[in-house]
Amino acid sequence: MNVGFIGAGKVGCALGRYFAAGGIPVTGYASKRVESAERAAALTHTRAFPSAPDLVAVSDIVFLTVTDSTIADVWHDLCAQAGSGGAHPGLLSGKIVCHCSGCASSTVLDNAADLGAHVASAHPLTAVSSPELPLEQLARTHVSIEGDPRAASTLGALFADLGNPVHTMDAADKVRYHAAAVFASNLVLATLDTAERLMQTCGFSAADAREALSPLVRGNVDAFCDKGAQAALTGPVERNDLATVARHLEALDAAAPDDAALYRALTKALARIAREKHPDRDYAPLEAAVSA
């Protein structure tokens, strides 16, 4: 099946390169800015189309790789042109249209059945930082799909044939799914930045702090990825060391109240993990201390 892209940013370019390398025919790109479509086409050795309808006409699957805030606008413009009173009636009949937002569901592509289209969302669970993202990174990426049965099945088979682990979900799950991804990526940076700043108050330069903390960071991430949070957990919370936790709070309350609040919230979450790991230990006093 021929795959085309409306939107020529990092995600569209990276997926186009990935599909082409996997033997999937890529028709090319349409974009609000012709220059962007031309750059993406050059990078993927495909075509730049003068308009979205021109691309849709020769594509079986259309990826809307535009920003989350413009998915609905791009879709509704296509629908207007494909409707009975539009410039391209029947344009979307039989087409599979999907977007790649992690948070939005396929419901943003509304009224698709009225136009004969099949819609879904397909989210590669990785950080696409460049249009020239290494293809081996995409090859290891899990892809989460939801949408109408035909679209979800077709897209699932497309990614599965490339070797990607595919997960199907309900539209109602998308926001919680995306929140999980943010917890695992962006929010981790908040704790790392806090650690770096606290180290700097102890005389470390920012660079030295990151270097010194690196074995802890990498070791914990590797252990979590290999064994999960319970097996990876170490430190004063896991040991039920209330005295150390209390000293941490005393120091942070005096010097950095915002950091103390973050410490309390995260320690409370760690105590739950520790309690599950050691059901024979009484973590109630520690939990009470961080909840005060």
Side-chain angles (χ1 to χ4, degrees):
M1 302 185 87
N2 295 326
V3 178
F5 294 87
I6 298 176
K10 293 180 289 189
V11 173
C13 287
L15 283 178
R17 292 173 47 244
Y18 182 53
F19 291 160
I24 295 169
V26 177
T27 54
Y29 294 83
S31 179
K32 185 176 180 180
R33 295 177 60 249
V34 175
E35 297 85 353
S36 297
E38 290 174 342
R39 282 196 297 270
L43 187 62
T44 55
H45 308 291
T46 58
R47 292 175 56 193
F49 288 81
S51 72
D54 290 326
L55 177 136
V56 173
V58 297
S59 303
D60 302 300
I61 302 174
V62 178
F63 279 80
L64 304 183
T65 46
V66 296
T67 61
D68 285 16
S69 61
T70 59
I71 291 171
D73 290 339
V74 171
W75 168 247
H76 291 148
D77 183 61
L78 274 179
C79 291
Q81 298 192 60
S84 58
H88 304 276
L91 177 70
L92 292 172
S93 180
K95 306 292 184 180
I96 291 173
V97 182
C98 78
H99 64 72
C100 295
S101 168
C103 191
S105 74
S106 60
T107 58
V108 72
L109 307 176
D110 53 359
N111 302 316
D114 295 342
L115 297 165
H118 302 273
V119 297
S121 68
H123 180 247
L125 191 55
T126 191
V128 182
S129 56
S130 165
E132 298 186 67
L133 188 76
L135 297 184
E136 56 269 24
Q137 180 176 331
L138 278 173
R140 298 192 302 269
T141 296
H142 288 236
V143 179
S144 301
I145 295 173
E146 58 78 30
D148 77 46
R150 179 176 170 186
S153 175
T154 301
L155 290 165
L158 182 148
F159 281 103
D161 286 347
L162 291 170
N164 295 94
V166 173
H167 306 267
T168 57
M169 63 176 60
D170 294 330
D173 296 334
K174 281 297 294 285
V175 177
R176 280 182 287 106
Y177 158 81
H178 194 245
V182 169
F183 264 108
S185 56
N186 312 130
L187 292 182
V188 171
L189 296 178
T191 64
L192 298 180
D193 177 72
T194 301
E196 180 185 312
R197 286 188 290 99
L198 289 172
M199 293 286 277
Q200 286 180 271
T201 68
C202 302
F204 286 72
S205 69
D208 282 347
R210 291 193 297 273
E211 182 178 342
L213 292 167
S214 178
L216 290 175
V217 175
R218 297 180 191 278
N220 273 285
V221 169
D222 288 345
F224 166 77
C225 291
D226 289 342
K227 300 177 292 185
Q230 280 190 33
L233 182 62
T234 62
V237 175
E238 193 249 355
R239 295 193 301 270
N240 204 10
D241 185 351
L242 176 57
T244 296
V245 170
R247 293 182 69 189
H248 289 169
L249 287 172
E250 182 180 5
L252 292 172
D253 281 334
D258 287 346
D259 294 341
L262 181 62
Y263 183 98
R264 282 184 165 87
L266 294 175
T267 299
K268 187 174 182 180
L270 281 183
R272 175 187 57 78
I273 299 170
R275 190 170 59 249
E276 293 170 352
K277 183 175 182 177
H278 302 291
D280 57 317
R281 297 180 185 176
D282 181 12
Y283 287 93
L286 188 149
E287 290 176 298
V290 297
S291 298

